[in-house]
Amino acid sequence: VRDLDTGGIEPQWFQMPRPPDGDEGIFTGSKDGAPTTKGLYAIHPDGSGLRAIGEVSTTETQEGGSKTWRISFQDPAISPDGSTIAYWSWEPRDGTGPSDAYMHLRDLDTGEELPVLFDPMGADNPMGDDNGLGIHFSPDGDHVVFEGCPSASSQLCYGSLDGSTPSEPIGPRFSYQSRKGFDFSPDGRKV
């Protein structure tokens, strides 16, 4: 066991070897420990190749009391082939209204934001096409399951990553305050 020099970036919570071979470690971190400077980073196991994965400073914010702060890069998940990272952030839609949970996909090589092609809950989702949180990739990387939030209650949703079919709610509705966690079975046939 050895500590890697992260160049003054303080790792925060998420750290995972990049599939399929672990050639990089992917982590969230901050230069000053503040959530407003939290970003995604990669580093090789020998400590070389430290790099930011795309933009660190984002416009994702949550309002509370008399101040606004960024709550970005929540529950990151890496696709099985290691090409994409999914996460959600608190942010206002189109810069207006209250903040809510919106999903993001990012290319791990370029850091480029990728479009969310699946339509979470279709017309039943009044929050917009990429509202939702807790994205999990299927073992083959073709599908996702996530928590959709169309109202005061939540529901799991299943959809194709390429957007070829709309997402479908699965299972019963539940209170977001009593969520217990979820994921795909190893064969990808159950959640």
Side-chain angles (χ1 to χ4, degrees), residues 6-130:
T6 57
I9 298 164
E10 179 184 321
Q12 295 185 335
W13 183 71
F14 176 79
Q15 301 157 19
M16 182 179 178
R18 183 177 178 179
D21 57 14
D23 184 46
E24 284 186 307
I26 307 298
F27 67 99
T28 53
S30 172
K31 290 187 177 182
D32 58 9
T36 57
T37 61
K38 188 176 181 182
L40 288 169
Y41 297 90
I43 191 169
H44 293 293
D46 66 1
S48 66
L50 177 66
R51 66 185 177 91
I53 302 171
E55 293 292 321
V56 172
S57 179
T58 67
T59 59
E60 298 143 5
T61 60
Q62 180 177 10
E63 304 229 357
S66 62
K67 60 182 180 177
T68 300
W69 66 94
R70 292 185 180 96
I71 307 292
S72 303
F73 309 115
Q74 300 292 306
D75 300 324
I78 301 176
S79 64
D81 67 0
S83 66
T84 306
I85 191 164
Y87 61 92
W88 64 276
S89 298
W90 285 111
E91 60 189 281
R93 173 54 53 219
D94 300 325
T96 63
S99 296
D100 215 321
Y102 289 96
M103 297 182 287
H104 292 268
L105 300 172
R106 216 180 249 205
D107 184 292
L108 278 174
D109 287 326
T110 66
E112 179 183 346
E113 184 89 4
L114 302 172
V116 175
L117 297 176
F118 49 92
D119 184 6
M121 303 186 80
D124 293 336
N125 190 352
M127 302 296 238
D129 288 349
D130 50 358

Side-chain angles (χ1 to χ4, degrees), residues 115-183:
V116 175
L117 297 176
F118 49 92
D119 184 6
M121 303 186 80
D124 293 336
N125 190 352
M127 302 296 238
D129 288 349
D130 50 358
N131 172 255
L133 60 136
I135 309 162
H136 292 268
F137 292 95
S138 63
D140 64 8
D142 292 337
H143 295 84
V144 290
V145 65
F146 58 93
E147 181 179 336
C149 308
S151 63
S153 63
S154 294
Q155 191 164 19
L156 295 184
C157 300
Y158 171 83
S160 59
L161 199 56
D162 66 4
S164 60
T165 58
S167 298
E168 294 183 33
I170 58 174
R173 290 189 181 279
F174 56 91
S175 167
Y176 72 90
Q177 294 176 326
S178 62
R179 69 173 62 100
K180 302 294 184 192
F182 56 91
D183 206 345

